[in-house]
Amino acid sequence: MTDKKNKGTDPKTYKFDTLSLHAGYQPHKNAGSRQVPIYQTTSYLFDDVDHAAALFNLERGGHIYSRISNPTVAVLEERVASLEGGTAALATSSGMSAIFLTIMTLCEAGDHLVVSSQLYGGTVNLFRLTLPKFGIKCTFVKPRDTEGFKKAIQKNTKGIFGELVGNPGNELMNMPEISKIAHDAGIPLIVDATYQTPYLCKPFEHGADIVVHSLTKWMAGHGSSMAGILVEGGKFDWMQNDKFPTMTTPYEGYHGLSFAEEFGPTAFTMKARAEGMRDFGPCLSPQNAWNVLQGIETLSVRMKKHCSNAEEMVKYLLGHESVAWVSHPSVPDHPDHELAKKLLPNGRGSMIAFGIKGGKDAGVAFINNVKLASHLANVGDTRTLVIHPASGTHSQMDEATLKFAGLSHDMIRLSVGIEDIDDIKNDFEVGFRAARKPRLVSNQ
Amino acid sequence: MKFKVNGTEVFASTGGRPFDKNKPLIIFVHGSGLTHMTWVLQTRYFAFHGYTVLALDMPGHGLSKGESLKSIEEMADWVSNVIDSVGYKEASLVGHSQGCLVTMECAARNPNKIKTLSLMGGAGAIPMNSELLSLAENNDPKAVDLMMDWAHGPAGHFGGHPVPGLYHINTGGMLAKSRTIKNTLGVDFRACDNYKNGFEAAKKIKIPTLSILATGDKMCPVKEGKKLADLIDGSKVEIIDNCGHMMLLEEADRVLKVLKNFILSNYPAKLN
Ligand SMILES: Cc1ncc(COP(=O)(O)O)c(C=O)c1O
């Protein structure tokens, strides 16, 4: 180790924009193809019987069968792991399956989770209704109630789960504080960072242990493909207590392997793949992995535009006569304004919630009359999207649950796209005009 | 598996198979600030193919208790004590980076006990960059980041881990950050820097020896590795191209192949 080549102390490992184009891929091992090839393949030749056994025993790395791993999907996994600052990742067929696989890798029947109450509606249903069927119970805590997370921890609690910026109320959870609470209790913090992407926030830098994404959203951007991923930070010590026996003791489910002893900082991903992917099977298709990779290539370029357009829209809405209130962490009187500055220094994201004057009827009229903004059940498309949660995404919730999730009848959720900002504003003018005379328009 | 050496608890991975005293023993010794986990793509193979494997966590590292040993000579004696502690009379040694200094010194001191020696990314001396040494001794995580930069070859910087879904630089970095940096990396770097006996030790080695070197290794360049190999009687050199210092992960399969050929022919397991 000689001094000669060292011209200063900064490591020359690749930085974010470079990693988003290159990480996880070596052209010289792929016929020199500059672009990542799509391995539209299910299964991979063994050299001999010994090689086959070695792959199954995890003696050697490599691909066996595309439910477990696939060369194109593996590029995506490494790319997202590198962008998040994680050790390893496992891509899944959707964001929901990434969350499900994470919980199933972490918990057993009889376990408990502490969960933020402001989550994507589908995730709420998973925690509130579906996981209890498997014997996994959850206690919901409002994202700003940091102490509440601590109080809700029980002896059988195996983790804390939340979205950094709750959907769609835009409430932040204090990730650094809540991670301390989790770590004091010897359990991991799992963060759904779909809305941030690693461009806006790297949760591992703020104490998260596992990050999940719906890649369907900003990471891909193009709204063409379903995909999800779980990423491991590598810092959590599974062996510090006896809460995670399937990670830390010889595990019957995988030839007596102790994942934590053998794989340490990648143990969780190894188990999620070896057990979860093997047995549940929500693998990502190579084509969709490739589609998502195309989106990630331009992640930082797109996120900059998403955020600048969002800030323009916040200003526009704040000054609009038809708007009752605007919620976005960039608004100075947003209760989490300061925390957002700290956790989201590159931009506060492109999700805005606002209240339309005239309540539910006005909301419906607005949605029915905008033309450029698309009315649909998605977020994080490059195109601007709008929805009225009370009648759409969260319509399965009763009044009380709606309120607990931070929703109201006049709320419109806006996912700001990267179109020309003037065109978005002009479109909204049409919607607001209609909203001011809702009955007239809806009769047309 | 946990056991005691000089009264202190030690952890070693047995490669996923039970410790079995009837099989020949191979001991793997990790590099500065790292742990047994760097060996996962070699150890499991040998464990499943007729050997008893111990991939050690050096004292104060990984899951082993105690304090880090302060000199290469102490580490060499400690490895020799490991062999006694688990009730063996002999073993084959495999080392990476600092582990090469340790295993080489151990082999020189115990000519009848050590049966073969495999060195990966080894050199006769590993003088430390003074800046890196001081960062590590001051507990600065930048020491790990720099080490990960220099330890991976150009290809490894992009990724392409042999185990699907793992990312080299961050996995290695997290291993090196798993304990207090100044107590692991800081002590290890100082021990490497202080060690001057490498070339003398090499001259005493008369057992089958393999050096695996990588063309992109900035930490222990091929030239340095060859200089060392030239001093060891009849030692064999294998060069891995397109690969950096972390060859045991970056090019795990190619490394395993040459290691396997060498150990199977020089220290065969009795297959039954
Ligand atoms: C924050 C968040 N997490 C998870 C999901 C679920 O992801 P997917 O739709 O890819 O299954 C969504 C989907 O809207 C989401 O918004």
Side-chain angles (χ1 to χ4, degrees):
Chain A
M1 246 175 277
T2 48
D3 271 317
K4 277 179 241 151
K5 284 194 184 139
N6 176 30
K7 298 195 188 79
T9 51
D10 283 338
K12 307 287 188 293
T13 35
Y14 294 116
K15 302 196 171 58
F16 194 89
D17 290 358
T18 309
L19 292 172
S20 64
L21 288 155
H22 293 277
Y25 180 62
Q26 297 186 8
H28 74 275
K29 289 189 179 161
N30 289 277
S33 317
R34 182 54 278 183
Q35 178 55 280
V36 177
I38 303 172
Y39 282 87
Q40 192 60 56
T41 49
T42 59
S43 31
Y44 307 88
L45 280 179
F46 304 125
D47 298 342
D48 51 30
V49 173
D50 198 41
H51 181 217
L55 287 168
F56 280 105
N57 289 334
L58 301 179
E59 292 165 32
R60 296 171 64 176
H63 303 286
I64 299 172
Y65 185 60
S66 284
R67 171 159 28 85
I68 315 294
S69 69
N70 166 283
T72 306
V73 178
V75 175
L76 173 66
E77 291 167 338
E78 277 197 53
R79 190 158 302 178
V80 178
S82 82
L83 293 172
E84 283 289 4
T87 53
L90 174 63
T92 56
S93 57
S94 68
M96 282 316 299
S97 53
I99 297 171
F100 180 70
L101 218 54
T102 299
I103 303 306
M104 285 313 191
T105 304
L106 191 68
C107 295
E108 295 162 55
D111 286 347
H112 172 260
L113 293 161
V114 178
V115 178
S116 163
S117 62
Q118 262 201 26
L119 299 172
Y120 162 60
T123 317
V124 172
N125 287 333
L126 172 70
F127 283 118
R128 202 166 69 89
L129 302 170
T130 308
L131 286 177
K133 290 199 294 187
F134 295 86
I136 299 164
K137 298 226 169 77
C138 304
T139 302
F140 287 93
V141 178
K142 289 194 170 184
R144 286 193 188 114
D145 181 10
T146 303
E147 272 303 298
F149 282 90
K150 189 170 179 176
K151 289 196 198 117
I153 293 174
Q154 308 173 1
K155 243 178 122 182
N156 59 341
T157 303
K158 295 300 164 71
I160 296 180
F161 182 99
E163 293 174 18
L164 173 56
V165 182
N167 168 37
N170 276 326
E171 287 183 33
L172 263 71
M173 60 189 260
N174 192 326
M175 191 163 36
E177 292 292 320
I178 293 171
S179 80
K180 275 193 214 109
I181 291 169
H183 298 157
D184 286 347
I187 55 175
L189 172 65
I190 305 142
V191 171
D192 179 337
T194 299
Y195 282 33
Q196 287 75 51
T197 80
Y199 176 79
L200 295 184
C201 178
K202 297 195 186 75
F204 297 139
E205 293 177 356
H206 304 284
D209 301 293
I210 294 158
V211 167
V212 292
H213 283 283
S214 166
L215 299 175
T216 316
K217 313 290 168 8
W218 289 264
M219 289 291 268
H222 35 53
S224 76
S225 313
M226 300 297 301
I229 201 159
L230 68 90
V231 193
E232 181 167 9
K235 220 182 265 175
F236 189 79
D237 177 8
W238 301 102
M239 298 174 88
Q240 64 183 290
N241 53 41
D242 56 7
K243 286 180 191 290
F244 307 99
T246 61
M247 294 285 293
T248 59
T249 55
Y251 178 44
E252 200 193 342
Y254 209 89
H255 323 305
L257 185 70
S258 165
F259 285 96
E261 271 186 10
E262 206 70 346
F263 298 106
T266 60
F268 189 82
T269 313
M270 292 300 289
K271 181 169 180 248
R273 188 186 302 277
E275 176 196 61
M277 204 47 110
R278 182 196 64 187
D279 300 350
F280 296 115
C283 56
L284 180 59
S285 78
Q287 177 68 57
N288 277 359
W290 189 86
N291 293 348
V292 174
L293 280 167
Q294 305 319 295
I296 290 178
E297 292 192 350
T298 57
L299 180 63
S300 60
V301 185
R302 285 185 291 107
M303 289 310 286
K304 276 190 196 104
K305 183 82 194 279
H306 273 297
C307 290
S308 64
N309 268 2
E311 297 204 359
E312 279 286 320
M313 284 308 286
V314 165
K315 275 188 232 150
Y316 161 77
L317 292 168
L318 280 172
H320 204 285
E321 54 173 346
S322 299
V323 174
W325 53 268
V326 180
S327 165
H328 186 258
S330 71
V331 178
D333 66 0
H334 186 281
D336 304 312
H337 183 70
E338 289 306 315
L339 183 62
K341 255 194 207 164
K342 188 173 130 198
L343 298 181
L344 305 165
N346 288 342
R348 317 291 187 268
S350 57
M351 291 302 297
I352 301 173
F354 66 92
I356 188 159
K357 284 185 187 161
K360 191 170 179 179
D361 288 349
V364 170
F366 175 87
I367 295 279
N368 282 342
N369 283 279
V370 285
K371 297 283 182 292
L372 178 66
S374 312
H375 175 212
L376 50 76
N378 194 16
V379 292
D381 196 294
T382 41
R383 288 150 282 249
T384 295
L385 315 175
V386 287
I387 202 160
H388 186 219
S391 58
T393 45
H394 292 64
S395 59
Q396 287 159 16
M397 287 186 179
D398 57 32
E399 187 77 29
T401 320
L402 205 64
K403 197 159 175 230
F404 192 62
L407 299 173
S408 57
H409 284 295
D410 66 345
M411 176 191 280
I412 291 190
R413 187 184 73 182
L414 160 63
S415 170
V416 184
I418 60 175
E419 298 97 339
D420 189 292
I421 189 70
D422 292 339
D423 292 334
I424 306 175
K425 287 184 193 167
N426 289 339
D427 189 42
F428 270 46
E429 279 308 316
V430 176
F432 284 133
R433 220 173 294 135
R436 285 195 288 274
K437 348 172 202 161
R439 222 162 282 120
L440 195 88
V441 175
S442 59
N443 285 344
Q444 279 175 355
Chain B
M1 146 175 137
K2 286 179 179 149
F3 58 102
K4 288 201 168 169
V5 181
N6 308 337
T8 304
E9 188 180 287
V10 171
F11 176 85
S13 164
T14 55
R17 303 293 292 168
F19 182 84
D20 178 352
K21 270 193 195 168
N22 298 314
K23 295 175 177 172
L25 174 64
I26 310 177
I27 293 182
F28 292 79
V29 183
H30 60 75
S32 300
L34 294 170
T35 79
H36 72 275
M37 285 167 202
T38 48
W39 293 112
V40 69
L41 293 177
Q42 283 80 34
T43 48
R44 295 180 67 80
Y45 178 86
F46 288 102
F48 278 84
H49 288 81
Y51 291 89
T52 289
V53 163
L54 290 178
L56 301 170
D57 277 341
M58 295 299 283
H61 291 62
L63 304 172
S64 284
K65 302 218 162 105
E67 294 200 356
S68 299
L69 302 173
K70 295 198 166 44
S71 71
I72 299 297
E73 290 84 349
E74 276 176 83
M75 296 180 207
D77 287 342
W78 184 83
V79 170
S80 170
N81 285 341
V82 166
I83 301 172
D84 306 337
S85 304
V86 296
Y88 271 76
K89 294 209 160 27
E90 61 175 59
S92 248
L93 299 184
V94 185
H96 173 235
S97 193
Q98 171 189 303
C100 295
L101 303 180
V102 174
T103 51
M104 192 166 70
E105 181 66 35
C106 182
R109 289 177 176 220
N110 300 280
N112 299 318
K113 201 170 182 178
I114 308 305
K115 296 302 173 188
T116 74
L117 181 60
S118 306
L119 308 173
M120 297 186 197
I126 311 185
M128 297 305 300
N129 172 308
S130 56
E131 208 164 3
L132 184 59
L133 179 58
S134 111
L135 286 168
E137 289 186 328
N138 286 307
N139 214 29
D140 192 328
K142 197 185 260 183
V144 173
D145 299 340
L146 279 173
M147 176 166 92
M148 287 302 126
D149 174 9
W150 297 342
H152 288 91
H157 272 251
F158 290 118
H161 202 291
V163 178
L166 271 56
Y167 186 64
H168 279 308
I169 300 227
N170 298 346
T171 303
M174 214 40 86
L175 277 184
K177 287 175 185 165
S178 65
R179 302 279 292 261
T180 309
I181 292 166
K182 67 175 179 197
N183 297 341
T184 52
L185 204 58
V187 175
D188 287 350
F189 279 173
R190 181 61 71 184
C192 287
D193 198 56
N194 283 342
Y195 181 65
K196 307 290 182 231
N197 194 46
F199 295 107
E200 286 312 307
K203 288 180 204 161
K204 292 188 194 146
I205 293 170
K206 306 292 173 206
I207 52 171
T209 300
L210 166 71
S211 285
I212 309 180
L213 306 169
T215 53
D217 189 341
K218 286 194 210 168
M219 299 187 117
C220 295
V222 170
K223 194 175 71 178
E224 297 298 320
K226 279 189 171 162
K227 210 191 290 173
L228 175 70
D230 284 347
L231 295 175
I232 303 175
D233 265 358
S235 88
K236 199 169 164 328
V237 175
E238 294 278 358
I239 310 254
I240 309 279
D241 65 358
N242 223 331
C243 181
H245 189 60
M246 293 304 291
M247 58 197 79
L248 63 182
L249 288 164
E250 284 183 70
E251 286 297 340
D253 272 357
R254 284 155 73 195
V255 164
L256 175 62
K257 193 170 170 195
V258 290
L259 186 65
K260 191 168 90 180
N261 290 342
F262 174 75
I263 290 184
L264 293 188
S265 52
N266 291 291
Y267 198 56
K270 287 179 230 74
L271 291 176
N272 39 18

